[in-house]
Amino acid sequence: MEDLEGFLFRSTILMLVRRLIWNAAWYEERYPGDRIAVIETFERDYLLGNFGFNRRERRELSKLVFDSLDASRRKIPKGVEQKLLNSAKENQQRCQLCGRNIDYSIDRNDELSYSLDHIWPQSLGGESEEWNLQVTHKRCNSKRQDIADVSDAHYEHFHVKHNWSSDERDSFWKELNWQFRIAAAMKADFTCEICKNPEQIDESDGELYFSLMNRDENFNIFNIQVTCYEHLRLPRP
Ligand SMILES: [Zn+2]
Ligand SMILES: [Zn+2]
């Protein structure tokens, strides 16, 4: 696990990338149809006006940002989709987010059916190409939303408001638990943090378990340990 400094650095970069792409989309909507004018305005008003980037930096950044914006709109080519799904079915591939089995025979509308997930999120410019796609449950794909990696799931989200009704709190925790689980599993590279043994996980149908390392500390991403069933509830050191 990276240190706090690295985590915050990555987290800030990801926030900036998102802001740049959202703003580029906003300029595009405002000046429809004229890409050159959009890019010029974005560079002048946004990149120069707000950040003071120099000319070369503005050119390079806006190229990257608009390329990402285009990539975020590209659909997965049918051929690529078929190829990946066929091989996933043939190999009975597990969900690459939660690690559990996928039943390839159930109705495609079912949330436990399969889908293709962008490893680097599509909304951040992730390509719809074979190397950037993985098979996951539909459910896990949608619960992941567009989290890029663990530093993108801001741990402060997981313990904010206290004075909610119990209904609000229930649905809040249900949703966040999912994102939290995916983020924590990402942190652990989808293996048990104790034995690092993917075999071990296979025995329990790929399920990963989550526990607090220090029980006196908050429920935050640095205090969560991801393990296989066998290594769950370790005695405290
Ligand atoms: Zn899954
Ligand atoms: Zn283990």
Side-chain angles (χ1 to χ4, degrees):
M1 178 63 189
E2 60 192 327
D3 58 14
L4 181 62
E5 210 174 297
F7 182 92
L8 292 176
F9 177 73
R10 285 185 59 81
S11 181
T12 309
I13 297 286
L14 284 164
M15 199 168 78
L16 178 65
V17 169
R18 245 186 209 102
R19 256 183 81 182
L20 287 171
I21 295 176
W22 284 343
N23 275 284
W26 183 82
Y27 277 93
E28 225 181 19
E29 223 170 81
R30 208 168 150 200
Y31 307 100
D34 189 350
R35 198 25 110 73
I36 292 173
V38 172
I39 291 178
E40 271 175 16
T41 316
F42 176 76
E43 287 183 9
R44 189 190 56 234
D45 289 3
Y46 192 69
L47 295 182
L48 178 64
N50 284 331
F51 297 101
F53 286 119
N54 71 35
R55 193 184 167 76
R56 185 183 54 83
E57 290 165 341
R58 294 201 296 275
R59 274 287 135 82
E60 284 175 6
L61 256 177
S62 74
K63 167 130 185 37
L64 268 172
V65 168
F66 281 92
D67 282 353
S68 302
L69 194 59
D70 290 339
S72 74
R73 290 169 179 154
R74 242 168 260 139
K75 288 216 161 81
I76 301 172
K78 277 280 160 240
V80 172
E81 185 176 18
Q82 262 324 312
K83 184 183 160 198
L84 287 174
L85 292 180
N86 286 344
S87 103
K89 271 184 237 176
E90 234 165 75
N91 301 313
Q92 289 296 300
Q93 227 174 71
R94 290 164 184 275
C95 170
Q96 299 298 298
L97 285 175
C98 75
R100 296 193 201 182
N101 287 323
I102 297 176
D103 181 353
Y104 287 94
S105 66
I106 54 173
D107 192 284
R108 282 301 305 270
N109 292 319
D110 195 293
E111 63 165 13
L112 288 177
S113 180
Y114 53 90
S115 69
L116 287 178
D117 174 47
H118 288 77
I119 298 169
W120 182 256
Q122 191 170 20
S123 67
L124 298 181
E127 300 281 348
S128 291
E129 299 295 337
E130 198 171 331
W131 54 267
N132 194 38
L133 294 165
Q134 61 186 356
V135 176
T136 65
H137 291 117
K138 268 176 79 168
R139 173 193 65 184
C140 299
N141 194 346
S142 72
K143 297 291 182 193
R144 177 188 173 185
Q145 298 183 353
D146 66 347
I147 295 179
D149 65 29
V150 60
S151 60
D152 200 15
H154 300 280
Y155 72 92
E156 70 271 24
H157 288 177
F158 299 105
H159 44 101
V160 274
K161 241 170 142 178
H162 298 290
N163 52 348
W164 289 357
S165 72
S166 61
D167 277 1
E168 270 180 327
R169 198 162 40 232
D170 280 356
S171 68
F172 176 77
W173 281 108
K174 229 190 248 162
E175 278 306 302
L176 282 184
N177 275 338
W178 263 100
Q179 278 193 25
F180 196 87
R181 279 164 64 164
I182 288 173
M186 280 176 170
K187 169 181 81 116
D189 234 351
F190 300 97
T191 54
C192 169
E193 288 184 88
I194 307 292
C195 65
K196 309 267 178 209
N197 184 1
E199 297 297 311
Q200 191 74 272
I201 286 160
D202 276 353
E203 277 169 27
S204 61
D205 191 25
E207 187 157 3
L208 287 169
Y209 295 85
F210 304 88
S211 50
L212 290 178
M213 280 190 266
N214 179 348
R215 277 163 219 280
D216 302 325
E217 213 194 277
N218 258 337
F219 191 69
N220 68 61
I221 199 82
F222 293 107
N223 193 32
I224 294 291
Q225 188 162 50
V226 180
T227 63
C228 63
Y229 183 71
E230 201 178 303
H231 291 116
L232 182 65
R233 288 176 206 288
L234 282 175
R236 286 166 70 180

